[in-house]
Amino acid sequence: MLGFVIQRFLQAVLVMAAMSVIVFCGVYAIGNPIDIVIPPEATQEIREQTIRRLGLDRPLYEQYFIFIGNLLQGDLGRSFVYNIPVLELIGGRLPATLELVLISVISATVLGVSLGIYAGYRPDSWVSKTIMAVSVLGFSVPSFWVGLILILFFAVNLGWLPAGGRGETVEIWGIGWSFPTFDGLSHIVLPAINLALFKLAMMIRLARAGTREVMLTDTVKFARAAGISEGTILWRHLLKLISIPIITVFGLELGSTLAFAVVTETIFSWPGVGKLIIDSIAVLDRPVMVAYLILVAFLFVTINFVIDLVFALIDPRVRHGAAA
Amino acid sequence: MSDPVLSVKGLSTHFFTRAGVVKAVNGVSFDLARGEIMGLVGESGSGKTVTGFSLLGLVDAPGRIVEGSIKLNGVELTTLSEAELRKRRGHEISMIFQDPIATLNPMLTIGQQMKLAIDAHERVSAAAARSRATELLTQVGIPSAAARLRAYPHEFSGGMRQRVAIAIALLHRPSVIVADEPTTALDVSIQAQILAKMRALARETGTAMVWISHDLAVVSSLASKLAVMYAGRIVEEGPTATLLRDPRHPYTAGLIASLPAMAKPGAPLNQIAGSTPSLLSLPEGCPFSPRCTHASGQCTTDADMTQNGGRQWRCFHPVGQTAPEPA
């Protein structure tokens, strides 16, 4: 088990190193921030001073090693635009995205898996057919359109829920959160539904496919022949047997939604990191872009690492295979 | 003979598919005495497995038992509710399957799976469940059973896994075990061990068994009684030794003749010409008649079971009686 952890950790470090090179070169290639950062009426002297101050006069590889050196000391640089440390900037926005994404991904998974198991267990009932029809919609309707319709219907026409913003926040550990207050929660509902719909559809399909497959296996027949009730079969046998693909997709979705909830955050003016990165790209705020992408890579690597550990915890074959 | 523990009369299980009605089991009847082992033999698709599942009330849609009676310890099963049936499954009648790799859940320990099977019928403490599980694992021949409760199925060999499945099936001392080809997936040497174990267990516990197999050689070493199935029907039934020595139904005779042990070394193996009919469109009368060398015009009508001295067969032209012995 320890060998397995160390091996995965080394892999993660390698991935991070490769990602940092790709990100740094990629961002360097997409444009010169100087034209945006320095006002056009600035003198040549100020221009050159600024370039030197930002370290943009050095060759790319030097800039990269300076960046990595600072990164290892926990310094991701300062935003060109806001002139505050990037970490502070992203850190201030991250809780908003975190709570929105966690609420939507977790509820999509819980609901989607339950509905999917039902649809797989009773594939011929009209309820199952309705569930599957809804999941097709969840897949095929574009997310920005759903967001607009949600606002139009629940915020504009019915006036039940607010259309944007975070609402009232509460400070916990010095960070503002919306979910503990009723007002904050009411602000989360619509963007969370918007984000959850696609994941819900995917979870329904995954759980249904797994359930249909498992219910036909001899494992289930043998359990039935031992007189084990259907509830116990679903809860104790089926749930574990279908869990591997569900956990995989859960991790991937959690990572990608945290990183790229851009569309929903823009529509619902949710002040999260997705909106921050779009704004930064628009003004070529290079340190923010680089730091953000590095953080995203770190996030994915961490989530995958945790998921590998979870696999080993729940599936004895993975655990023992890794130990051998 | 005392009252049978299991009495099946005119059992028919049909599958209502889009292509038509598949008559998988068609009027099967047999009795099973306490501790008796009956071999249910036939080719693939002859309805033996469906017969087994019907006994436990576990026929999946679109199949269902359309008629007949199954009496287990004097209680009619076919009219019971699903809840009542569940109480009997694993408790009075249990089943083991062909592939022990597929039957046990790979993500639960042996102990957890045995606990689930105990909890299905009784409320016992964890300690009591452990000691019962250990006792049964020991009984089926698993060494250091108490420690093995924490092991997962993949840590056992195929033969050991099948022993675990047998131990689970025996947890509540059922009156009847339906064994669906439980040794087919195992090595020959392991197969022999399991067969010996099952015979001993049947004797010790008084558990009766329906041993389903396509392998006449395996069943004949185990069962005191044989029932030969063809296209959803029992075509011949009788004591194993008599039936093997002196078959009446031409199909039984064909099966015995096609055993590799019956062929001369170097000579081609005997086989029964033709193949099993589609259960969707069975021929009129005897389903074996298209492949039968004894068939006559009479065979397009249904033959009744002929009873004779503790055995019975369903044929107008039984081998070794009215028809001449085939050379």
Side-chain angles (χ1 to χ4, degrees):
Chain A
M1 190 68 192
L2 187 66
F4 171 74
V5 172
I6 291 170
Q7 183 197 342
R8 285 302 149 100
F9 182 75
L10 290 178
Q11 272 177 15
V13 170
L14 267 178
V15 170
M16 285 303 299
M19 261 311 286
S20 70
V21 174
I22 294 169
V23 165
F24 203 82
C25 297
V27 169
Y28 189 87
I30 59 172
N32 190 350
I34 291 163
D35 303 330
I36 291 168
V37 171
I38 300 168
E41 64 271 17
T43 62
Q44 190 60 28
E45 199 181 339
I46 293 180
R47 221 181 129 83
E48 267 162 25
Q49 256 177 18
T50 314
I51 290 174
R52 237 191 321 279
R53 182 167 55 80
L54 296 176
L56 295 173
D57 54 339
R58 297 165 191 252
L60 178 60
Y61 69 88
E62 250 179 70
Q63 288 187 36
Y64 174 74
F65 284 115
I66 291 170
F67 168 75
I68 289 295
N70 292 339
L71 178 72
L72 292 177
Q73 296 165 44
D75 177 10
L76 285 164
R78 293 177 85 85
S79 161
F80 291 162
V81 178
Y82 300 94
N83 199 25
I84 56 170
V86 168
L87 217 50
E88 209 173 285
L89 191 63
I90 294 178
R93 299 289 200 101
L94 202 58
T97 299
L98 206 60
E99 65 178 342
L100 175 63
V101 167
L102 279 178
I103 287 174
S104 87
V105 174
I106 291 174
S107 36
T109 305
V110 171
L111 191 65
V113 170
S114 317
L115 292 176
I117 289 178
Y118 183 85
Y121 186 68
R122 299 210 177 289
D124 296 321
S125 81
W126 65 267
V127 179
S128 304
K129 286 178 180 154
T130 314
I131 293 171
M132 295 323 287
V134 170
S135 88
V136 171
L137 274 184
F139 264 125
S140 42
V141 178
S143 150
F144 75 89
W145 184 80
V146 173
L148 294 176
I149 293 298
L150 284 174
I151 290 178
L152 193 65
F153 199 69
F154 290 101
V156 178
N157 286 356
L158 293 172
W160 289 354
L161 293 163
R166 284 186 81 184
E168 198 183 333
T169 55
V170 179
E171 294 258 323
I172 301 175
W173 306 311
I175 300 165
W177 300 92
S178 293
F179 73 88
T181 70
F182 182 77
D183 182 56
L185 213 51
S186 74
H187 280 80
I188 292 180
V189 173
L190 288 185
I193 291 177
N194 189 199
L195 273 182
L197 219 55
F198 179 83
K199 296 164 226 321
L200 179 74
M202 187 144 58
M203 286 297 177
I204 288 176
R205 301 224 146 224
L206 266 179
R208 184 183 104 112
T211 304
R212 291 205 69 175
E213 197 182 309
V214 169
M215 291 315 283
L216 294 176
T217 60
D218 280 356
T219 307
V220 168
K221 285 197 184 122
F222 185 63
R224 281 181 174 151
I228 293 169
S229 67
E230 294 296 290
T232 310
I233 288 176
L234 292 183
W235 191 247
R236 295 293 306 275
H237 284 289
L238 175 85
L239 210 53
K240 271 204 155 182
L241 290 169
I242 65 171
S243 60
I244 297 286
I246 288 173
I247 291 170
T248 311
V249 171
F250 176 84
L252 287 174
E253 282 298 311
L254 187 63
S256 64
T257 316
L258 274 174
F260 310 112
V262 181
V263 173
T264 298
E265 286 185 359
T266 310
I267 293 174
F268 290 91
S269 7
W270 191 263
V273 283
K275 223 170 153 322
L276 174 70
I277 185 66
I278 283 296
D279 295 345
S280 304
I281 290 172
V283 297
L284 285 181
D285 193 346
R286 203 187 267 174
V288 177
M289 288 154 73
V290 172
Y292 181 76
L293 291 176
I294 297 276
L295 275 181
V296 166
F298 179 70
L299 202 69
F300 267 92
V301 166
T302 312
I303 289 175
N304 280 332
F305 182 62
V306 170
I307 281 175
D308 280 341
L309 290 183
V310 170
F311 282 168
L313 278 182
I314 62 168
D315 192 335
R317 290 165 299 182
V318 174
R319 187 159 66 234
H320 295 154
Chain B
M1 197 168 85
S2 58
D3 280 348
V5 284
L6 180 68
S7 175
V8 179
K9 293 250 174 321
L11 175 71
S12 291
T13 303
H14 296 175
F15 288 80
F16 298 86
T17 67
R18 256 174 228 168
V21 180
V22 179
K23 295 176 177 169
V25 178
N26 217 352
V28 160
S29 306
F30 60 86
D31 283 343
L32 202 59
R34 202 181 121 79
E36 185 176 32
I37 302 180
M38 181 184 94
L40 190 59
V41 189
E43 291 168 77
S44 308
S46 60
K48 8 181 241 305
T49 298
V50 178
T51 304
F53 279 119
S54 302
L55 297 180
L56 280 92
L58 280 178
V59 181
D60 284 330
R64 63 185 161 85
I65 297 174
V66 288
E67 60 178 331
S69 138
I70 303 167
K71 277 205 169 109
L72 177 65
N73 295 319
V75 178
E76 176 60 49
L77 296 187
T78 52
T79 53
L80 286 183
S81 68
E82 171 54 33
E84 284 293 317
L85 266 175
R86 189 197 68 71
K87 282 189 202 160
R88 283 171 174 78
R89 286 199 285 263
H91 198 246
E92 290 179 42
I93 181 166
S94 46
M95 187 158 178
I96 47 183
F97 294 78
Q98 176 169 349
D99 184 1
I101 293 164
T103 50
L104 298 172
N105 185 335
M107 308 197 38
L108 298 176
T109 64
I110 300 305
Q112 284 170 329
Q113 302 192 46
M114 295 187 89
K115 179 79 162 66
L116 285 180
I118 294 173
D119 288 347
H121 301 289
E122 284 172 47
R123 297 211 61 85
V124 297
S125 70
R130 256 196 315 276
S131 77
R132 168 112 65 103
T134 311
E135 182 194 329
L136 271 144
L137 288 179
T138 311
Q139 205 174 359
V140 297
I142 288 181
S144 53
R148 299 299 264 162
L149 285 178
R150 279 192 303 275
Y152 288 92
H154 72 268
E155 298 172 76
F156 289 84
S157 67
M160 283 296 158
R161 267 185 256 200
Q162 193 60 287
R163 284 171 198 255
V164 172
I166 293 167
I168 290 175
L170 281 170
L171 273 173
H172 296 279
R173 301 260 174 252
S175 314
V176 177
I177 290 183
V178 178
D180 187 5
E181 310 224 16
T183 60
T184 307
L186 304 175
D187 290 346
V188 180
S189 58
I190 308 292
Q191 189 173 322
Q193 289 173 11
I194 300 266
L195 290 176
K197 198 80 223 175
M198 290 305 276
R199 198 161 33 207
L201 287 170
R203 208 167 33 232
E204 283 165 31
T205 61
T207 303
M209 286 182 209
V210 178
W211 194 279
I212 297 170
S213 181
H214 66 270
D215 188 340
L216 203 53
V218 166
V219 193
S220 57
S221 71
L222 184 73
S224 54
K225 175 163 103 176
L226 284 185
V228 180
M229 268 191 99
Y230 187 80
R233 294 182 158 189
I234 291 182
V235 294
E236 181 163 10
E237 190 203 319
T240 305
T242 329
L243 198 131
L244 286 180
R245 189 179 356 99
D246 184 21
R248 285 285 180 267
H249 197 281
Y251 177 63
T252 316
L255 272 186
I256 295 168
S258 61
L259 284 175
M262 292 298 192
K264 290 187 188 74
L269 298 177
N270 292 311
Q271 50 181 352
I272 305 174
S275 58
T276 44
S278 159
L279 294 171
L280 271 169
S281 53
L282 289 172
E284 286 282 305
C286 175
F288 187 61
S289 56
R291 300 169 74 183
C292 183
T293 49
H294 299 244
S296 69
Q298 201 182 5
C299 295
T300 53
T301 58
D302 267 328
D304 286 327
M305 273 289 190
T306 310
Q307 311 255 352
N308 190 324
R311 57 187 299 197
Q312 49 184 337
W313 59 86
R314 191 190 289 278
C315 185
F316 290 117
H317 311 293
V319 180
Q321 273 207 329
T322 50
E325 197 84 36

